[in-house]
Each structure stands twice: as C-alpha cells, then as structure tokens.
Amino acid sequence: MDIFSTLQEEKARLSPSENRIADILLNDFEFAVNASIIELAEKADVSPPTVTRFCRRVGCESFSDFKVQLARTAYVGMRYLRPEPKSRDPADVAQDIITKAQNALFLLHRSLDLAAIEHAAEKIAKAEMIYAFGSGGNSSMIASELQNRLFRFGLHVTASSDHGMQLMLAAAAKSTHVIVGSSFSGRNTELVRSFTLARETGVTTIALTQADSLVAKAADIVIPIDLAEGNNIFRPTSTRIAYLAAVDILASLVAYNIPQAAVTLRRIKQQLVAHRDGDDRQLLGD
Amino acid sequence: MDIFSTLQEEKARLSPSENRIADILLNDFEFAVNASIIELAEKADVSPPTVTRFCRRVGCESFSDFKVQLARTAYVGMRYLRPEPKSRDPADVAQDIITKAQNALFLLHRSLDLAAIEHAAEKIAKAEMIYAFGSGGNSSMIASELQNRLFRFGLHVTASSDHGMQLMLAAAAKSTHVIVGSSFSGRNTELVRSFTLARETGVTTIALTQADSLVAKAADIVIPIDLAEGNNIFRPTSTRIAYLAAVDILASLVAYNIPQAAVTLRRIKQQLVAHRDGDDRQLLGD
DNA sequence: AACTTATCACGAAAATAATTTGCAAGGATC
DNA sequence: GATCCTTGCAAATTATTTTCGTGATAAGTT
C-alpha cells in the first residue's frame, strides 16, 4: 500500500497539525522529499516529534523510511495534478505525456481485479474459439491486440470491429466459445447486444470496461478498468496504454494456463534470439 | 540525470571500496534504499565516511539526498534486471508487466530526440497528405494509431500495412506529402524500398525506428526509439507502449504546430465533456 | 636504487546534526 | 472534574558529516 492511498483514507482522522503536514505533502511534494524533519516541521508549523508521529500514522517505520516511501511512490503517483503540460515546449509536452502514461499504469495496477483476470484467463485458455470485439479506434486496437497476442499461443481467435459482423459471430457462437469485448466508455450498446445474444447460448462473455457500466452489466466476467479521478484529465492515450497493459497481463496469464505454455514461450524466445542474430529475412511482428 | 546513469559512467573510475558500494546498489537494491549509512557501510565493508564520499561522487548532496534520488529513479528504472516474473502468481505477473511498461516509458523519455520529433511535427503539420506505414502487427498498430490521432486535427492521412499498397502510395506521392514509417526491428526492407522510392520525388520521409538501422538510414528524419539494454529482455509489449507514447508526443506537437490547434483541442475537450454527461448516442473513439 | 614528496584512499574519532523518546502542559470531550 | 488526545520541550539516542591522521602508491629527486 502506498502512502498517498493511506493518506487519502486517513486524512479525515488526522489531527489539525498532522493535516498541515499532509497538505505540504500534497501541495509541495518537491520540498517534502528533500526536506529534513526539522525543515518540514517548521514549514508545517509543528514540532519535529509531531512529524515523526505523523510518519508512523501513515504506516512508516520512521521519518527516513517515510521519505523513501514517498520518493518511490510519488515518482509516478502524484503528478496528475496538472491537467495541461507546463508549456508547449517539446520537453514539457514529452514529460507530461510520459508522466501521465506512467501514472495510468500505476493507477491501473492499483485497481486491478486480479481474480477477475485470472478467471478470464482460464476461460480463454480453454476456449475452442475466441472472438475479440471492440470498435471506435481505441477498443478496436485492443481487439486486434488480443488477437495478435492470443494466436501466438495456438489459440483460435478472430477480432472484429464491425458491429454487424460482431452480431453475426455472436449469434453463431457456441457454449464452448468465449467473447472478449472492450469498451472504454462502457456504453457501447452494440457490444451489449452482442453479449446479451451470446449469453443466450451459454457463450462466456468477458468485458474490459468501466466497472458498473452498461457493458460491464452485460458480461459474465468483468475486468474493470477505472482510472479513478484521472478519467477526465487523462487524454485517451494514457487510458489506452493502461488497456494495453491489461491485455498484456491477461495474455500472459492465458499463456500460463495452457499446458504447453513453457514450450510456446521458449519458442517465442528463440524467435527473439533469431531476430537479434541479424539475418534479413522478414521478421515476425515488426 | 539519474544515479544509475552516473553510476555506469563513473564505475570504472571508482575506487575498490566505492565499487563494493556500487555493487550493493545494483545487486541488493531493496536493502540499499532502506539501510542507514552505517548498515550500508558495514555490508560493503567500508567506513561510513566512504559512503558519504561515494554519494558525493555520484552527484548527490548528502547521504539522505542520495537515498531519495535512489528511491525515485529506481522505482521505474532498475527492475528490468529480472527477465521473468518472480512466479506465475497473477500478482507477480501483473507487477512484472506494469513495471516493465513503466520502465520502457522511462527509458524512452531518457533517450528521446526532441529536436527530431519537433522537426517531424512541423513537417507533418504542413503536409498536404500523410501516409502512415507499418506492418507486422506491432508497427501496423502504430500506423493506424497515427491515422487515428492525426485525422482529428483536420489533416489528410491514411494508414497502410500492406507492402504492395505502400509502394504504390509512395510512388504516387508528391513533394508536399509526408510518409511516416514505423519499424520496431529497423529491418523492414519493404519499408526501406518505399522510403527510397518516395525520396526520389522529394517526399519527406519520417521513420520511427531503431537508430542507425536500415530503415533509419533510408529516412529523412529519424525519431530513434532505442530501448537500450532492455531490448532483448523486454517483451514486445513494453516496446510497443514506448512507441505509442512516442506517437502521442509526436501527435501533440503536431497539434501545436497547426494554427487552429487551440480551437481543435477545445472542441476535443467539449467532446469529452459531452461524453461524461452521459447521453447514450454512440461515442466517438470508444 | 634509495629517498623524498605528492597524492589519494580510507578509517578513527570527534563534532555536528537529525531523529526519537519520555514527559508534562494545554485543550477538548464526556 | 476525569479522561483522553494532541502537542511541544528537553533529553537521549542515533545518524551523519567533518576533521585529521595513517598508510599506500606513484612520481620525481638525489
């Protein structure tokens, strides 16, 4: 558990002095990580012992432990406060995008429902056929990414971003099949229709989408991806990167659920080694 | 500049005692961030003053400054040492993937050639037509991502993952056009051919690829993406995320190079707001 | 070759600074 | 008015840094 989560949970229960310390952390993080206990105490207008007690309160052993914890989580966890890059200077834009992407990964990791993903992975590994559905540029990319990952494990998979096609595939699917659908907004009603139709035949439906959304409600297994407070601040790219990472995790777990996974993975690795040896024949997966 | 870069540069010039300290950092990082100067000194079999001197040597103010620096860069910068997740446990797999993705972003940021990206962005913003080329699953995703981003700014753009089509488009392109090609391996010879053909007509060619690769040599402007030592260790997904982030940066800079960018961006934002208001009409870019 | 002399790495101990603990005073709450 | 909580003070403890001196190595000198 990182400090900032603890802080948000505990904040209400903190005393006035401790609250002043918390405010400094949130507002002037750069100062906080570099300050000594005395400097921090002065700035918060409290005594050093109070700072020590504060550190214990938020789950740290000591003040120095606290600083280390702060430095490690905060590097990726605290910068989304700025909705726009500082300036149009390329360096600022780059830093902004990189930070937000890392942040999205951080938040994804924190809110990941591993049980759901593992459950989904088991179903996918056993499926006779897998359909990856998603539309609208972002989710369609996720769908083809799923196809791209899963076929390498010897699974039967097809991706579609076409609503009409999705409906037909869903109608034709059997109970041994699995549909994985992605919707960033959670309000892709066509996807909901495909899910509903498929479930009538007992097809397993898996959704990568916002928790409690329309799409989520229509699926058997939901892999919720909620980028919490950031949702409105992040540009879609950050969210997309989080989705990609989620797909990556899902695909890796699928691999582990397939008996010959070790063999498959070894073969993939040999491929990679062959790449590096540098012969010029066309590479798989450029 | 982070500590680990400094360390690699300085390592040769360090004294034996200092080298022992460096080894502890590299091998037992967890210990190092949590240890006091005395504990660290003991483990390295040196005296505390030597540790202090070491910290100064690698560019830190003091030992505690050193620990903070260590903690902040290392969170994303140091974990690629483990080529495989600790276990097949979902939590470990997830952590492994997230860390490697963050790490890829970190390394990308560090090695980014901003001048090249800015230069590319200017060309793209002024282009009458833009072709986004890439094949093989990964790069084709990058190509469609480019299309997906650029058309929103009112630019004329088409993506293609088909070598034959790419050649024809390249042959038909004019000097006011721009081709953006992506190749993870840098050895997509068909892309090289398209680039070479296009340059005969004075078409600007931009490559997202490994520096000094075949593809890089064939392009006018190279946006190098080298994930240094990690290249062979990372699974392709991490690299792909880095590429995506690079595209995101490029696209943002393109937006800033278009006169009505502010207006466009505002309109995009209004779109986002409209989304959240929750009417159920089909959303753009699900 | 032997003897300075300079330079550097390093640790011991002292000095300093930072952190924690124990305790008591001041408030708030019941 | 008793109790509990918060807080700061001062002392104790601990950590860190500085100072200083030793020994090693290298370069120059006799």
Side-chain angles (χ1 to χ4, degrees):
Chain A
M1 212 21 154
D2 69 295
I3 291 195
F4 288 104
S5 327
T6 320
L7 213 58
Q8 290 195 315
E9 280 174 23
E10 289 278 317
K11 193 139 204 292
R13 264 169 291 169
L14 293 177
S15 70
S17 303
E18 289 173 328
N19 250 299
R20 257 173 288 144
I21 301 174
D23 284 340
I24 290 179
L25 296 191
L26 296 168
N27 295 324
D28 199 351
F29 165 77
E30 273 307 315
F31 170 82
V33 278
N34 292 313
S36 76
I37 196 172
I38 295 172
E39 291 168 322
L40 184 58
E42 268 176 16
K43 180 138 182 173
D45 209 17
V46 300
S47 66
T50 305
V51 177
T52 296
R53 284 185 280 254
F54 172 83
C55 298
R56 301 261 156 84
R57 196 100 184 238
V58 294
C60 299
E61 289 268 313
S62 63
F63 178 69
S64 50
D65 180 34
F66 167 78
K67 282 227 294 189
V68 169
Q69 300 281 333
L70 200 62
R72 29 168 50 167
T73 60
Y75 178 75
V76 285
M78 257 311 284
R79 304 221 199 142
Y80 54 83
L81 299 167
R82 193 194 300 279
E84 290 291 324
K86 272 178 277 183
S87 74
R88 290 173 166 211
D89 181 61
D92 285 335
V93 173
Q95 153 126 10
D96 182 63
I97 288 169
I98 297 285
T99 307
K100 279 175 180 157
Q102 289 186 324
N103 209 354
L105 290 166
F106 176 78
L107 293 173
L108 170 76
H109 190 199
R110 217 167 68 183
S111 66
L112 219 51
D113 182 347
L114 285 171
I117 296 186
E118 175 67 357
H119 188 192
E122 284 163 15
K123 293 284 188 189
I124 291 172
K126 279 197 287 250
E128 280 177 4
M129 179 68 196
I130 301 146
Y131 308 94
F133 291 171
S135 311
N138 292 326
S139 280
S140 51
M141 187 189 83
I142 298 300
S144 33
E145 175 66 5
L146 263 167
Q147 176 176 35
N148 195 18
R149 289 299 301 268
L150 296 180
F151 88 86
R152 288 162 204 259
F153 305 143
L155 295 170
H156 310 136
V157 54
T158 186
S160 173
S161 59
D162 174 335
H163 292 312
M165 194 67 200
Q166 288 172 8
L167 264 179
M168 290 192 285
L169 288 169
K174 299 182 191 162
S175 66
T176 49
H177 297 182
V178 169
I179 298 180
V180 187
S182 160
S183 172
F184 282 33
S185 68
R187 284 188 265 122
N188 180 340
T189 46
E190 265 94 350
L191 183 57
V192 170
R193 211 177 304 160
S194 292
F195 274 2
T196 313
L197 185 62
R199 289 179 72 175
E200 286 173 15
T201 351
V203 177
T204 305
T205 52
I206 301 170
L208 275 91
T209 191
Q210 289 192 23
D212 305 319
S213 62
L214 285 174
V215 173
K217 290 201 180 81
D220 293 312
I221 304 174
V222 179
I223 299 175
I225 301 185
D226 300 300
L227 293 189
E229 329 87 301
N231 230 340
N232 45 342
I233 295 171
F234 290 130
R235 65 196 72 203
T237 310
S238 310
T239 312
R240 184 154 57 245
I241 283 177
Y243 268 77
L244 261 188
V247 168
D248 198 10
I249 294 168
L250 179 62
S252 299
L253 292 178
V254 168
Y256 289 135
N257 272 289
I258 296 175
Q260 345 73 301
V263 183
T264 315
L265 289 177
R266 202 171 317 130
R267 222 183 310 149
I268 291 173
K269 223 172 271 170
Q270 281 166 351
Q271 254 181 39
L272 282 172
V273 173
H275 280 197
R276 273 181 302 152
D277 288 348
D279 54 343
D280 265 350
R281 68 184 170 210
Q282 193 50 44
L283 309 171
L284 297 168
D286 184 36
Chain B
M1 215 13 155
D2 69 297
I3 291 195
F4 288 103
S5 327
T6 319
L7 214 57
Q8 290 194 316
E9 281 174 22
E10 291 277 316
K11 195 140 202 292
R13 263 167 290 169
L14 293 178
S15 70
S17 304
E18 288 173 330
N19 250 298
R20 256 173 291 146
I21 301 174
D23 284 340
I24 291 179
L25 296 191
L26 296 169
N27 296 323
D28 199 351
F29 166 77
E30 273 308 314
F31 170 83
V33 278
N34 293 314
S36 75
I37 195 170
I38 295 171
E39 291 167 322
L40 184 57
E42 268 175 15
K43 181 140 181 170
D45 209 20
V46 299
S47 66
T50 304
V51 176
T52 297
R53 282 186 284 254
F54 173 83
C55 298
R56 302 260 157 85
R57 195 102 184 233
V58 294
C60 300
E61 288 267 313
S62 63
F63 178 70
S64 51
D65 179 34
F66 168 77
K67 284 227 293 189
V68 169
Q69 298 284 332
L70 200 62
R72 41 169 37 171
T73 60
Y75 178 74
V76 284
M78 256 313 284
R79 302 218 198 144
Y80 55 83
L81 296 169
R82 193 193 300 279
E84 291 290 324
K86 272 177 278 185
S87 75
R88 288 171 166 215
D89 182 63
D92 285 336
V93 174
Q95 153 128 12
D96 182 61
I97 287 169
I98 298 285
T99 308
K100 280 176 181 156
Q102 289 186 325
N103 209 351
L105 290 166
F106 175 78
L107 293 174
L108 169 77
H109 191 197
R110 218 168 64 183
S111 65
L112 219 51
D113 182 347
L114 286 171
I117 297 187
E118 175 67 358
H119 188 191
E122 284 165 14
K123 293 285 187 186
I124 292 173
K126 278 195 286 238
E128 280 177 4
M129 178 69 195
I130 301 146
Y131 307 95
F133 291 170
S135 310
N138 292 327
S139 281
S140 52
M141 187 190 85
I142 298 301
S144 34
E145 174 66 6
L146 263 167
Q147 176 176 34
N148 195 17
R149 290 298 301 270
L150 295 181
F151 88 85
R152 287 162 204 259
F153 306 141
L155 294 171
H156 309 136
V157 54
T158 186
S160 172
S161 59
D162 174 334
H163 292 311
M165 195 66 198
Q166 287 172 8
L167 266 179
M168 289 191 286
L169 288 168
K174 297 183 195 161
S175 65
T176 48
H177 297 181
V178 168
I179 299 180
V180 187
S182 159
S183 172
F184 282 33
S185 67
R187 286 189 264 121
N188 181 340
T189 45
E190 265 94 351
L191 183 57
V192 171
R193 210 175 306 161
S194 292
F195 273 3
T196 312
L197 184 63
R199 288 178 74 177
E200 286 173 14
T201 349
V203 178
T204 305
T205 52
I206 301 171
L208 276 92
T209 191
Q210 290 193 23
D212 305 320
S213 63
L214 284 176
V215 172
K217 289 200 181 85
D220 293 314
I221 304 174
V222 180
I223 300 176
I225 301 184
D226 300 299
L227 293 188
E229 329 87 303
N231 232 340
N232 45 340
I233 295 170
F234 289 129
R235 64 195 74 207
T237 311
S238 309
T239 312
R240 184 154 58 245
I241 283 178
Y243 268 78
L244 261 187
V247 168
D248 197 8
I249 293 168
L250 179 62
S252 298
L253 292 178
V254 168
Y256 289 135
N257 272 289
I258 295 174
Q260 342 76 303
V263 182
T264 315
L265 290 176
R266 201 171 317 129
R267 225 185 306 150
I268 292 174
K269 224 171 268 171
Q270 281 167 352
Q271 253 182 36
L272 283 170
V273 173
H275 281 195
R276 274 180 303 155
D277 287 349
D279 54 343
D280 265 348
R281 68 183 171 209
Q282 194 50 45
L283 309 171
L284 296 168
D286 183 36

